Amino acid sequence: MSRKPKLKRFKENVSSKYQIYNSIFMTLPFDGISNTGVLLPLFSEICEKGYELDKNPSQIVRKFFERYVEQDKTEEEKINLLFRFIQYIERQVVLFDAVEDAAFPIVNNMDGRGTLRNIKEEAQEKHKIEALKTYLKRFKIRPVLTAHPTQFYPGQVLGIITDLAEAIEKDDLLTIKKLLAQLGKTPFFKKEKPTPYDEAVSLIWYLENVFYHSAGKIYNYIQQNIFKDEELDNQVIDLGFWPGGDRDGNPFVTTEITLKVAERLRSTILLNYYRDIRTLKRRLTFEGVEKRLASLERMLYDNVYLLKEEGMLSLVEFEAELKAIRAIIVSDHQSLFRAEIDDLINKVKLFGYHFAMLDIRQDSRVHQGVFENIVDTMKNRGEALFSIDYVNSSEEEKIEVLTNIDKTVQSAYFENEITNSTISSIYAMKKIQDRNGERGSNRYIISNNQSALHVMEAFTMLRLCDWKQPDVDVSPLFETVPDLQAAQDVMRTLYSNEAYAAHLKRRGNKQYIMLGFSDGTKDGGYLMANWSIFKAKEELTTISREYGIKVIFFDGRGGPPARGGGKTHQFYASLGNTVEDEEIQLTVQGQTISSNFGTLESCQYNLEQLLSSGISNEIFSDATAEFSDTDKKTMEALASISYDTYVAFKKHPCFLTYLERMSTLKYYAKTNIGSRPSKRSKSKEFNFSDLRAIPFVGSWSQLKQNVPGFYGVGTALEYMEKSGKFEAVEDLYKNSSFFRTLLENSMMSLTKSFFKLTAYMKDNEEFGEFWSIIFEEFNRTKRMLLKLTGYESLMENEQAGKASIHAREKIVLPLLTIQQYALRKIQELQKDPEANKDELKIYEKMVTRSLFGNINASRNSA
């Protein structure tokens, strides 16, 4: 029997099931207003028809009240009904998530293209199994979980989603009904901001319940089916972790929290090992192994539950004991249950005693102030670090003296709070390594890195903390377009520095470089940001190879994986041989964690897709450059035009005021979904440089305008068309999978846009022209992309993904209508000097509450 098309599988297993379970959900009386579930579908219908007739959100809400709500209802009762709608819609999104999660292995072919089984079979067919094995001995992927504020589900809701997906998979109607009722009564809104530790605990849930099992299963497959009896001495999958270590812009991350998070990671992985050993004990009941397993079980129990350190084996000893047990099973017991003991040994290889690698990150501007304070303080103590006037010296002079420094400082020396915490964070890394192993915390990331001096100051701080030969990788993060353009010269200076070169040699001649985390797209627009990153990768690969350094790129969510979502693995499979591919590392944040890695099946599938993208690029590609000289010129022209267009757009006098007054930007700070402040400075003045990328991107998403994913693309393509150069663009599209993937992700941003929601703004005296500029670029981009691809509609080649987007957009349309209605009310009240302040607060609360459902429905909006 032939397999049904993906779209048909989606409709049967997601769309249809959602309709059935939603109809049950809508009848459950979980709140004080019994007819909410009856009225919401009517409101949804009014919204859809209203926008078809070009009505604005205020007109749509009024029409609904006139038609379906008794006229004797008070204004307070009407407002309460809108709040109830928001609550229902939030839970409808959760229900859709659960249905889609349950159907994941049916809708997606778990053995199809991009999976390990497919890769192995292709390698066999092309006689490249040995090449595949050689590559897997050195290749790794590292998804790095970050706690940026785009995921708001409390832990209890995550649990309900998991249970609901399982019940839906089994068609267990009674359990589904109970869980839907539980969902209706479970609060979503967080009254208090989470601490960085709270965020860490939330993400460790995914490590404990999902990644531990999925990554282990993948490693088992590689070992058993590709390497067989030959032991693989490479983790292949590492996990990275930022909550508790990311200090950039987050004053709430303290040394105490960093150490507490590291300890939680350790205790959680030991708990998982303890559970596995208890399971193994039920099978390995043989002479010679039973008592040894019982001893390991007691050791882990004492450590995890009784906090006893005595008798705890080192990681090397623990792994050796497991291997000794396996040897007895093989020699004395006919290898009975060997696969089960191998599974645990493989997990210990993957996760050690650290579970995930905790990165420390801080901004170079903070480092600069810290380092100057260190110099002044040590001078005042009579222990001057340098003979030169450091602050007033040139960069070359500073680097020269930093190269030869040989002193030690303690955090207690410094009264300045930031200096004290920066120094103590480095000492914390040493403690974590002593307890969790070197992989527990071995990377220091410098965000907003603009010069070699920024790297050298961070490197010097490590050495000043009684760490003459630090077991730490110093990683610059190049974010903005100018920083990316300067990256090659920065690294040349570092590679030429005697002390830094010696450090790299000790670290295996590997240099980690992070690119484009938060400000790339915000700074330079979609095409230029991604093109600048690609060019920087090529240049950094060239310079690194020249110095015999293996460069490893770490992509932020603002880089190639692209804000606005998209097929991440396609980027990595399209890089060609001019970009180093030793490892694939990228941040995964917010609702993207739950959407891509929230279940065992989706986690396994997406990890395998990442693995296969690197393998495909290395093993199965033609080993040519991704761009010919001609295509590179075309790409350069498109990026430059797009950049100029986007920069002009940013400079429009309405740009900031439009975001401030017409979007939900300022409400992100009130959502309590992240520990980090929503702005970089405490200034009340609103300026672009203070804007964090997530509220910036998220605000466009809430407006359903998605500017960061398309603005400038249409103008660039149209320019080439009018200049008679469109054929060159068509050649680029045909030749470059990188360019095709860029445009496919842009099409996704366009698909998620809905300008009828805010069409009323075109008549606004102050912002009408600005709204029209955005809408014109949207239409221009859509027209040009359809012309270039030959599609009749957006995302024509990704019908199931398109159907998922449309289903989610349909669910949240009433919520967005309420949001815009509330924003318009706020604007009216703010103009009225005699307005009721309590009424204003109610509508502001309505806007804040309306953010969550849309954030989660978008899944990858940030």
Side-chain angles (χ1 to χ4, degrees), residues 710-766:
F710 71 82
Y711 201 92
V713 176
T715 297
L717 291 171
E718 187 179 72
Y719 174 86
M720 300 297 276
E721 178 190 46
K722 290 179 178 178
S723 303
K725 298 176 183 176
F726 199 69
E727 190 176 333
V729 179
E730 291 174 320
D731 288 341
L732 173 64
Y733 181 76
K734 182 176 68 177
N735 298 336
S736 170
S737 54
F738 177 86
F739 184 57
R740 287 196 300 275
T741 306
L742 268 185
L743 297 191
E744 283 173 12
N745 286 343
S746 190
M747 276 194 269
M748 184 183 287
S749 291
L750 295 173
T751 303
K752 291 181 179 180
S753 298
F754 182 63
F755 277 82
K756 283 183 179 290
L757 178 72
T758 56
Y760 69 88
M761 293 183 186
K762 68 175 179 286
D763 299 321
N764 183 287
E765 188 175 328
E766 187 175 357

Side-chain angles (χ1 to χ4, degrees), residues 31 51 82 85 105 156 202 211 229 237 299 313 354 365 385 457 526 535 585 742 768 772 848:
D31 60 40
Y51 291 118
L82 294 180
F85 282 167
Q156 59 267 34
S202 294
F211 281 94
D229 293 330
I237 300 171
M299 176 195 79
L313 297 177
H354 64 285
R365 290 164 290 195
L385 297 179
E457 285 183 337
Y526 181 68
K535 285 196 300 181
Q585 300 193 10
L742 268 185
S772 296
T848 304

Side-chain angles (χ1 to χ4, degrees), residues 667-681:
Y667 296 94
Y668 267 78
K670 301 176 182 180
T671 55
N672 291 335
I673 56 176
S675 69
R676 196 168 70 163
S678 61
K679 288 175 61 181
R680 283 194 170 90
S681 77

Side-chain angles (χ1 to χ4, degrees), residues 137 183 506 637 667:
K137 287 176 183 177
L183 186 66
R506 288 192 301 272
Y667 296 94

